[in-house]
Amino acid sequence: MKTDRTVISIVLILSIILSTFGVVAAAPAPKSQGILMRADFSDPLCLVPFMHSDTASSDICDLIYSSLLKYDKNLNLSPEVAEALPTVSKDGKTITFKLKKGVLWHDGVELTSADIKFTYDIIRDPAVNSDRMADFEIISRIDTPDKYTVAFILKNPSGVLLDQFQNKYLIPKHLYEKEDKTKLKSSKYARNPVGCGAFKFVEWKNNERVTLEGFDKYFDGKPGFEKYIFDINPSQATAMVKVEKGEANMVQVPESDVARMSKLPNLNVNRYVGNVFDCVLWNTKTSFFSDKKVRQAMTHAINKNAIVSGIYKGNGKPAVGSVVPALPFYNKNAKDYKYSIATAKKLLDEAGWKVGKDGIREKNGKKFKITMLTNKGNIMREKLIVEVQRQLRQVGIVVEPRIIEWNTFITQYLETGNFDAYVGGFTTGLDADHRAFYYSDPAVGILNRGGYSNPSADKIMDEIVITTDMKKQKELMFKLQEIVAEDQPMTFIIYRTQAIALNKNVKNAEFYDLLNWHNPEKCWVE
C-alpha cells in the first residue's frame, strides 16, 4: 500500500510554498438518507476532543469536530477547514494556513482564525492539563493577521507537527471562553459538545446511546445519514447479535468472528490493516516488573504465533513494537523474542525469581502472583487474558485475571497506575512521534501507564520531533525501536487486521488500510 506521507515534511526542509492546492468541491448529496445504528459496547468518557484518552470518546468526537487538515485515501495530508495546504517559511519556523470561508459551528456562528488560535492556545495551556499539550509544545505563539489567516510560529522546525493538525480538536471560542478552563472534563460541553463536523450532537444517555444528526450546513456537503447513533451494549457479542438480527447496521467485528460474520447474507464485512496493536503492558514500578530481564522473560513465555493463529484466527501479524509494518519507519530488524519456555525460566532465575516448593516463583519471600486487568465486553481481550494466564503458569507465575467495566478500568486503574499488568491495545498515529507510549514524563508519555523510563529513549524521541530530514528521522525511529525491544515495557502481541460489518443497505462506504472507514459523512442508508 502507499505510505507517501513524507511530502509534508519535505515541505519543511525545502521551504516550498504550497499555494496551488484548490478547495475540493463537496460531493453531491446522496439520493437517500436513513439512520446508521452503530452497535458498540463502551460508553464514552468525555466529548471535549482533546481531553479524553479512550477510543469510545474519540470515535464520537471524530464525527462532531473538524480539523485543519485530513488524510486522503493515499495517506497524504490535504485541506479540511483549511483552504489549502499551508505555506511554510524558508526557515521552517512559520506555518501559515488560509481558512475556508463559510464554515459554520453547529450553533450557526462562522469559524474564524480566532477559533483556531483559541483551540491550540488552550491545548497548550498547562492549567488545562490536556493530554495533547506536549504535541504542540513546539509552538511559540499563534498569530491571526485577519479573520481567515492563522500563523503558527515555532520554536524550531518540526517533522511531525503538520500530522497533528489532522486531529479533530477544533472548538468554538465564543462558547468555550465562558467556561472554567481548568474544569473542561466536567464542563457542559463534555456532555453537550458543539463542533463544526459532519454530525451534530443530539443526546447522550449513559450506557444506552449517543445520538448525532447530520449537520445540514456542513461545509463539505450535507451528510448522507440523517442520524448516526451509537447504541451502547453490555458486550461486543451482544452488539454483533443486534447487527445479525438487523436491529443495528454497523459493528466492529472481532477477529474471532470475521469468518462467521462474512457468511451472513445481509452484511458486508470490510477488512483493513489497522494502525493498531494489542499488548500486555507491565507496570515497571512494581517489584515484579522493574527488572527488564523479567519483562524479557514474559515475552519469551508468551506464544504470540499461537495467539495470532488461534485466538485472532490469523487476522494480523505477531507484533514486535508500536510501529506497524505498513509505515515507512518500521524496523524489521528490531529484536524479536522467540517463544521459549527454557529461555523465560533462565531469565527469571537470573532475576532472582526462583521456583518454590509449590511450583510458584518467589523472591525475598514474595510469591510471583499478579493481578492482570482488561476491559469487560471486549471479546479478543477477554480471550487473550485467559490464554496469557495459562501460558505464564508454565514458567511458575500465577495470574489472576480481572475483567472490569470500561470507564472504571480507565479511570480507577489505568490512569492511577493501580495495576500489575493489563491487556490492552493502542491506535498509533501515522507519524514518527511515539512519545505517548514511552516518554518518562507522564505529561508527555500519556499512554506510558506502566511508568517506563529510559533516558536514551527520551533523548531520541526529543530529536525525532524536531527532525525534518526524513532519512535522519527514520534512523532515529529505528534506534528507538531497538531500545524499546531491549527494554520490553510491554509485550507486543499482534498488529491487527480489523473488520467492520455494515448492513448491505449502507451505501458508498470506503475502507482503506490505516484509515478505517474513510467517508462516513458521504454514505447513506437505503
Side-chain angles (χ1 to χ4, degrees), residues 203-347:
E203 182 183 43
W204 174 4
K205 292 186 176 181
N206 282 98
N207 296 310
E208 185 176 336
R209 66 175 52 189
V210 175
T211 302
L212 313 178
E213 65 182 13
F215 182 40
D216 288 347
K217 297 179 181 179
Y218 178 52
F219 61 87
D220 200 24
K222 183 180 178 180
F225 298 127
E226 179 185 350
K227 289 185 179 180
Y228 193 125
I229 299 173
F230 289 77
D231 179 57
I232 313 301
N233 294 274
S235 69
Q236 206 168 12
T238 306
M240 283 192 293
V241 169
K242 283 196 172 182
V243 172
E244 292 173 46
K245 291 182 175 180
E247 296 172 7
N249 43 16
M250 173 186 172
V251 71
Q252 186 90 38
V253 182
E255 287 85 343
S256 58
D257 291 83
V258 167
R260 178 182 64 82
M261 295 284 279
S262 297
K263 295 176 183 177
L264 299 179
N266 62 320
L267 300 179
N268 288 320
V269 176
N270 305 275
R271 300 176 73 240
Y272 55 94
V273 174
N275 53 325
V276 173
F277 65 90
D278 280 358
C279 64
V280 182
L281 190 145
W282 314 109
N283 191 338
T284 65
K285 294 183 177 180
T286 66
S287 58
F288 299 113
F289 301 114
S290 59
D291 188 337
K292 73 177 180 181
K293 282 190 175 182
V294 174
R295 303 192 299 269
Q296 291 170 347
M298 299 300 97
T299 303
H300 277 299
I302 295 174
N303 191 338
K304 290 187 279 189
N305 288 324
I307 289 170
V308 171
S309 61
I311 293 177
Y312 290 85
K313 307 301 180 185
N315 291 292
K317 297 179 180 179
V320 296
S322 58
V323 179
V324 298
L327 294 176
F329 40 82
Y330 169 74
N331 185 353
K332 65 180 180 180
N333 296 316
K335 184 177 180 180
D336 188 9
Y337 291 74
K338 303 300 182 184
Y339 174 60
S340 173
I341 293 295
T343 304
K345 290 179 176 179
K346 180 175 180 293
L347 286 167

Side-chain angles (χ1 to χ4, degrees), residues 24 72 75 137 139 182 232 235 291 302 421 455 494:
V24 178
D72 66 18
L75 298 181
E137 64 186 359
I139 297 171
T182 67
I232 313 301
S235 69
D291 188 337
I302 295 174
I494 183 174

Side-chain angles (χ1 to χ4, degrees), residues 47 86 99 104 122 141 196 203 207 227-228 233 255 286 291 300-301 308 352 357 369 382 409 415 459 463 500 506 514:
L47 298 182
L99 304 179
L104 299 180
I122 205 167
R141 72 175 193 274
C196 61
E203 182 183 43
N207 296 310
K227 289 185 179 180
Y228 193 125
N233 294 274
E255 287 85 343
T286 66
D291 188 337
H300 277 299
V308 171
K357 294 181 180 180
K369 294 183 177 181
E382 289 184 1
F409 174 62
E415 291 182 349
K459 183 178 179 181
E463 290 185 60
I500 286 178
V506 178
L514 305 183

